[in-house]
Amino acid sequence: MGGGSGGALGGGLLVAGTTSDAGKSVVTAGICRWLVRQGVKVAPFKAQNMSLNSFVTREGAEIGRAQAMQAAAARVEPTALMNPVLLKPGSDRSSQVVLLGKPVGELSARGYHAGRQEQLLGTVTDCLQELRRTHDAVICEGAGSPAEINLRRTDIVNMGIARAARIPVVVVGDIDRGGVFASFFGTTALLSKEDQALVAGYLVNKFRGDVTLLEPGLEMLRGLTGRQTLGVLPFAHGLGIDEEDGLRVSLRGAVRESTVEPPHGAEVLRVAVCAVPLMSNFTDVDALAAEPGVVVRFVDRAEELTDADLVVLPGTRGTVRALAWLRERGLADAIARRAAEGRPVLGICGGYQMLGERIEDDVESKAGVVDGLGLLPVRVRFAVEKTLARPAGEALGEPVEGYEIHHGVAEVTGGDEVFMSDGSGQGLDGCRAGSVWGTHWHGSLESDGFRRAFLRRVAADAGRAFVPAPDTRFGVLREEQLDRLGDLIEEHADTDALLRLIEEGVPTALPFIPPGAP
């Protein structure tokens, strides 16, 4: 493969899906990890992403968290090229548009699909071409389904980018939902003749049981479509990687499918995360869930805070809206009672802002001045410019890193101590008042030493005989998960066929399946 020199274009592949949450993100990450283990210089790419889970690259660009995870799978540094368009929903009808890592305004869904999206095809194609010039292979992820025929004319993330770049498409179907054969056939048959010519095969995801029972159906599917199934990936528990579009667990359920290991000390530590509207970067609590003996739940009722040792207010794309939600549900009063009793509360980003005394918002909600929960001596003013940063410092005597994505600017007017400092006592971010903590830094809990120090403080304040395990390394656990994804591809997919598609491009003479797009 020869794209890494900056000359000829490297190979490409688009991973599409029969539905949202079919497994496109994990399959893309798995292919990236499998390829890099073969010595291939590979990069992930998603032309357009709709997600409230985002990440800040080293150059200060905001991209989808799933693409950052895929870059980690590929062992490359994430860049804005890997996710040129990010849509961050602010309501059911509008989203903030982030272009090449920077916000460029709010657009309604109708306004975006009516013209703006189509105008971006050249930009996303240029980004893909640049990645292909500097890598041996680029594994692209689609969005939703390529057979959303109402949106095909303006599509830039599925068949639109595949056709513009002339790259083959593999369609992933989630057999755990049922109807996977109909989904594969119907997805293909609803595409135009030109689009169908790029669909090179299928991947079955989340299969349980004896694969030999599936094989007759796969043969019939090949007879009907002229396309082979390139692998049957088994259902894998506890992958726990960064999600893209929303919370894939039910409220009051455990984080992802994570298994709580026995506590290192005598007792477990219970963490309740308030599932606020437009919740963003809920991946912040993954590092807590990775600790032996820490039980993390998402909750939406005040009574569910009663037995929690730590309550977390996470980030949100609607701070004022989330604050009203907390009050409507009685959660605000329950959190205030906790604080008065000296029981731990942690606010991250929007959650930190809600814990303050006052919010002045003429940008996000345009609600003007709104009272906060009043549990931290902080006043927040929303700025038009978004803060995007990758800070590092010290907290509780331990090194800590994070990333910032917020419009709110916090003025700290008191408190017992700053949260994040530069190591010489100069405050960088956040504060503590009693047992209430707040910070704008996402991802800080992934810093192992700091996380353990924070959990020791929480356990002491909560009166729990909980002791953090001394050897939990979140980065190592994440690497193990990415290796598991690579193993799924290596052991259960036709890797020779995948490699041929990536290197040689679209197969010739793929049959047309009527009726095609109307």
Side-chain angles (χ1 to χ4, degrees), residues 108-159:
S108 68
R110 180 181 293 274
Y112 185 67
H113 288 289
R116 179 63 167 153
Q117 184 180 35
E118 209 169 2
Q119 297 166 9
L120 294 173
L121 181 58
T123 300
V124 302
T125 302
D126 288 346
C127 291
L128 176 55
Q129 296 292 84
E130 179 60 26
L131 287 174
R132 292 180 71 187
R133 274 192 289 269
T134 53
H135 294 80
D136 298 326
V138 178
I139 309 303
C140 309
E141 180 188 344
S145 162
E148 289 165 351
I149 54 179
N150 56 315
L151 303 177
R152 175 61 185 93
R153 183 181 62 81
T154 57
D155 169 52
I156 63 171
V157 65
N158 290 306
M159 304 313 297

Side-chain angles (χ1 to χ4, degrees), residues 123-354:
T123 300
V124 302
T125 302
D126 288 346
C127 291
L128 176 55
Q129 296 292 84
E130 179 60 26
L131 287 174
R132 292 180 71 187
R133 274 192 289 269
T134 53
H135 294 80
D136 298 326
V138 178
I139 309 303
C140 309
E141 180 188 344
S145 162
E148 289 165 351
I149 54 179
N150 56 315
L151 303 177
R152 175 61 185 93
R153 183 181 62 81
T154 57
D155 169 52
I156 63 171
V157 65
N158 290 306
M159 304 313 297
I161 190 69
R163 202 191 298 184
R166 292 297 303 169
I167 55 175
V169 176
V170 173
V171 180
V172 178
D174 178 358
I175 198 169
D176 201 46
R177 295 184 174 195
V180 75
F181 295 118
S183 297
F184 283 143
F185 183 86
T187 297
T188 309
L190 276 177
L191 301 178
S192 68
K193 186 173 184 179
E194 294 80 6
D195 286 350
Q196 283 193 29
L198 302 177
V199 176
Y202 310 111
L203 266 173
V204 174
N205 193 29
K206 301 183 188 175
F207 180 73
R208 308 171 192 248
D210 184 350
V211 74
T212 61
L213 298 176
L214 194 64
E215 287 170 356
L218 301 179
E219 280 304 308
M220 285 186 272
L221 181 68
R222 183 168 187 171
L224 288 165
T225 66
R227 292 157 174 85
Q228 69 180 101
T229 297
L230 303 173
V232 177
L233 309 182
F235 192 100
H237 286 279
L239 287 176
I241 63 159
D242 296 358
E243 298 282 10
E244 172 187 282
D245 297 323
L247 192 61
R248 303 299 186 204
V249 295
S250 65
L251 295 176
R252 298 173 294 280
V255 175
R256 313 287 197 284
E257 297 156 347
S258 58
T259 302
V260 178
E261 295 184 28
H264 187 71
E267 293 184 299
V268 299
L269 203 69
R270 293 176 175 85
V271 179
V273 185
C274 295
V276 297
L278 298 173
M279 181 165 48
S280 61
N281 288 70
F282 56 79
T283 48
D284 283 332
V285 299
D286 285 357
L288 295 179
E291 283 285 350
V294 175
V295 183
V296 180
R297 294 176 301 154
F298 288 87
V299 304
D300 63 350
R301 296 197 297 252
E303 56 269 28
E304 293 176 294
L305 304 188
T306 306
D307 67 346
D309 302 307
L310 170 66
V311 169
V312 177
L313 286 178
T316 171
R317 244 289 266 157
T319 302
V320 170
R321 177 178 166 184
L323 194 51
W325 181 87
L326 289 174
R327 288 180 167 131
E328 289 163 6
R329 289 177 167 261
L331 286 158
D333 289 340
I335 292 168
R337 286 194 298 271
R338 287 183 63 87
E341 295 165 0
R343 301 172 68 198
V345 178
L346 170 66
I348 302 173
C349 199
Y352 170 38
Q353 296 165 7
M354 286 186 274

Side-chain angles (χ1 to χ4, degrees), residues 95-98 102-107 317:
S95 294
Q96 183 181 67
V97 180
V98 179
K102 304 296 180 184
V104 294
E106 297 272 341
L107 270 181
R317 244 289 266 157

